[in-house]
Amino acid sequence: MNLLDASIEHLILPTWLWLCPQDLPQTPAPTHSASFHRRSWDLLAPLRYWLGQLKIDNAAFAHRLCRLIPAQCPFERDIKFLGHLLFHIPPMCKLNPLYDDLMVLRFRALCYLADECGEDVSCYC
């Protein structure tokens, strides 16, 4: 097991376990309605787990992932008029709840192409 697999396993596993009801911390019953304690559920945990466990063992699949997942936010723009900057649209990708998981998947695909296949991945950067 290499370092990347070990760190992904440690990041994904606690998120997946949090979804299991028997692993949730037990809180005592509220004494009145004002002290109601809400439990937070991560509804995207199964999708995050699936993305983390996705095996990249095919060069064509790795190339497809690198083409589909952009290296930087495609929505970030500078709006210029006659050479003057009017305003800047900030990157919106950080609002995506699966952004970090997709970046890890793209990184794993790039590592597979560079390390296992020995290909030049500079065209994807």
Side-chain angles (χ1 to χ4, degrees):
M1 177 180 284
N2 62 19
L3 181 62
L4 181 63
D5 291 337
S7 42
I8 289 173
E9 180 179 320
H10 290 298
L11 289 174
I12 300 297
L13 189 59
T15 306
W16 181 251
L17 289 177
W18 180 251
L19 194 61
C20 300
Q22 67 269 18
D23 294 333
L24 290 174
Q26 299 298 322
T27 56
T31 55
H32 60 285
S33 62
S35 67
F36 179 72
H37 182 266
R38 290 181 49 187
R39 291 184 179 159
S40 63
W41 293 89
D42 187 9
L43 297 176
L44 297 175
L47 186 57
R48 284 191 177 105
Y49 180 77
W50 179 76
L51 286 173
Q53 297 300 316
L54 198 59
K55 298 291 182 204
I56 301 173
D57 54 359
N58 184 338
F61 181 58
H63 280 290
R64 190 175 306 123
L65 284 175
C66 291
R67 279 194 305 268
L68 288 176
I69 303 171
Q72 61 188 17
C73 186
F75 303 112
E76 181 179 19
R77 297 274 189 262
D78 285 332
I79 307 299
K80 295 182 179 183
F81 182 71
L82 298 175
H84 296 287
L85 178 69
L86 293 179
F87 58 92
H88 174 76
I89 300 174
M92 299 297 205
C93 293
K94 284 292 186 174
L95 298 177
N96 181 356
L98 297 173
Y99 175 77
D100 293 329
D101 302 304
L102 290 172
M103 289 298 109
V104 168
L105 183 63
R106 185 177 196 279
F107 180 72
R108 286 178 34 220
L110 286 171
C111 288
Y112 176 79
L113 289 172
D115 296 340
E116 302 294 325
C117 300
E119 295 184 20
D120 181 28
V121 293
S122 61
C123 62
Y124 294 118
C125 297

